[in-house]
Amino acid sequence: MAQNAANAIISDLRDRIQHLEGAVARAKTVLPFGVSEIDERLPGGGLAYGALHEFAGGGAGAIDGAAAALFAAGIAARTKGKVVWCLARPDLFAPALAQVGLHPDRVIYVEAIREENVLEACEEALRFGGLGAVVAETVRLPMVTSRRLQLAAEGSGTIGLLVRRWRRQTEAGDFGHPTAATSRWRISVLPSDPLPVPGLGRARWLAELIRIKAGESADFEIGACDAKGRISLFPDAGNGSDQTRRTVNSG
């Protein structure tokens, strides 16, 4: 009887050790952008799985907000498996997500009545595991809530993508408050890529990495996500030019 009890304790300890080792291994897994100038600025060479990443538009307007959502969608598109997208406003344009590689057959939409419920659903999805990514749209992200989401992501190894969307200009200031997110990005729309003939070229964004744990902040002029969720760095935006600037360490 005593031997059985000892075996049960040993088995439980082994399970705990495997869980801890698995969490450490997942923390080292990253999703690279495939653009060396960007990936080399990110610890491990990409966005960490098992972590929370935060995105917002560069201004309070809908255009920059849409760019931030598409930037996050492109990241989700490059993961494997289903993507859960939690939101309170049913105004997400699915064809736009498909254009950046996140096709409807991969997305599970979770609509909530209140923003608090969006974050609760996001936490549950992150804890569930086995998903490519979990995306949530929210105006506010309290520090305590962000810590819960970060811990949930660490526990399952799933990448969490928080898109900050403002209903009014006064809410944009909330993005300045600290959160537990591993990285924080601000996306702004720039004039599209010029063409030799009349027409609209590829959309361009200013991607500001304003905070990254164990790394330095930086700005990048990029081409918007293509049909596979991939971005590109404009040729004149590399090699330490004015378009790619290193700033003070904020990690």
Side-chain angles (χ1 to χ4, degrees):
M1 194 70 178
Q3 183 66 37
N4 290 338
N7 289 339
I9 293 173
I10 293 172
S11 178
D12 180 63
L13 287 173
R14 284 175 178 168
D15 289 342
R16 293 186 182 187
I17 291 171
Q18 288 176 355
H19 176 76
L20 291 173
E21 289 177 342
V24 171
R26 286 193 295 267
K28 296 179 181 178
T29 305
V30 299
L31 177 66
F33 282 99
V35 179
S36 60
E37 294 87 346
I38 298 177
D39 290 335
E40 67 184 14
R41 305 290 183 90
L42 305 174
L47 289 180
Y49 280 99
L52 188 67
H53 304 278
E54 195 177 351
F55 309 89
I63 296 178
D64 287 342
L70 291 176
F71 185 73
I75 294 170
R78 292 185 290 107
T79 65
K80 303 296 183 182
K82 294 289 186 180
V83 173
V84 171
W85 197 298
C86 309
L87 69 168
R89 289 182 286 174
D91 59 355
L92 193 63
F93 191 53
L97 301 187
Q99 287 182 344
V100 298
L102 189 54
H103 296 285
D105 58 353
R106 289 190 57 200
V107 185
I108 300 172
Y109 296 102
V110 178
E111 291 188 19
I113 298 175
R114 294 186 300 273
E115 187 170 291
E116 294 81 2
N117 301 129
V118 169
L119 296 174
E120 290 171 1
C122 178
E123 182 179 347
E124 287 297 319
L126 285 171
R127 292 191 185 282
F128 177 77
L131 298 168
V134 178
V135 187
E137 300 179 13
T138 182
V139 174
R140 295 179 177 83
L141 183 61
M143 174 59 83
V144 173
T145 302
S146 69
R147 285 174 176 162
R148 291 179 61 90
L149 296 176
Q150 174 68 23
L151 289 173
E154 289 176 1
S156 67
T158 304
I159 191 168
L161 309 173
L162 264 291
V163 180
R164 308 293 296 274
R165 291 188 62 190
W166 326 122
R167 289 186 293 263
R168 55 189 67 88
Q169 187 172 359
T170 55
E171 294 173 335
D174 191 74
F175 190 61
H177 297 165
T179 70
T182 297
S183 73
R184 304 183 83 184
W185 299 77
R186 187 163 50 207
I187 310 299
S188 304
V189 174
L190 297 174
S192 63
D193 192 18
L195 296 176
V197 296
L200 294 176
R202 184 177 181 178
R204 292 199 299 178
W205 298 333
L206 173 64
E208 300 173 80
L209 175 58
I210 61 177
R211 182 180 184 276
I212 178 73
K213 289 184 178 179
E216 293 183 348
S217 57
D219 301 347
F220 309 96
E221 273 194 22
I222 61 174
C225 301
D226 64 12
K228 293 185 178 181
R230 299 171 302 193
I231 60 173
S232 64
L233 194 70
F234 278 87
D236 61 349
N239 303 319
S241 69
D242 290 340
Q243 285 79 15
T244 304
R245 302 180 294 276
R246 301 192 72 162
T247 54
V248 178
N249 187 337
S250 62

